[in-house]
Amino acid sequence: MERVLIEFDTPQDKESLLSVLSRFNGRVIDVDQANKQRNFIELMYEITAKGGVGESFGDASEWQRETRQDRPLPGRE
């Protein structure tokens, strides 16, 4: 058994293929899963095009200055 993911430009093309699918002992397995996968991939492209997820965290050096607490080094009090 083999699986193929197919994209259609028009709903008419999709209907044409589905009408002859049974001649080839084929069946539709999960249309929603393919749509979810495509939407996820499009979202990842959109995020990377904007510079990735790093921008949502802000400036790393600013965070470090605000959060980090320096401790005295041993022998240098």
Side-chain angles (χ1 to χ4, degrees), residues 2-34:
E2 292 188 36
R3 293 183 181 182
V4 177
L5 177 63
I6 301 172
E7 292 182 354
F8 297 99
D9 291 330
T10 65
Q12 294 83 11
D13 291 342
K14 175 184 167 187
E15 293 304 320
S16 296
L17 180 67
L18 292 178
S19 67
V20 297
L21 197 56
S22 61
R23 290 187 198 169
F24 300 99
N25 296 323
R27 64 187 178 277
V28 176
I29 295 182
D30 190 357
V31 174
D32 290 337
Q33 183 63 30

Side-chain angles (χ1 to χ4, degrees), residues 5 7 33-49:
L5 177 63
E7 292 182 354
Q33 183 63 30
N35 287 335
K36 288 177 189 174
Q37 182 178 7
R38 188 185 76 233
N39 291 340
F40 178 75
I41 291 171
E42 288 172 359
L43 177 63
M44 292 299 107
Y45 281 134
E46 182 180 324
I47 289 172
T48 54

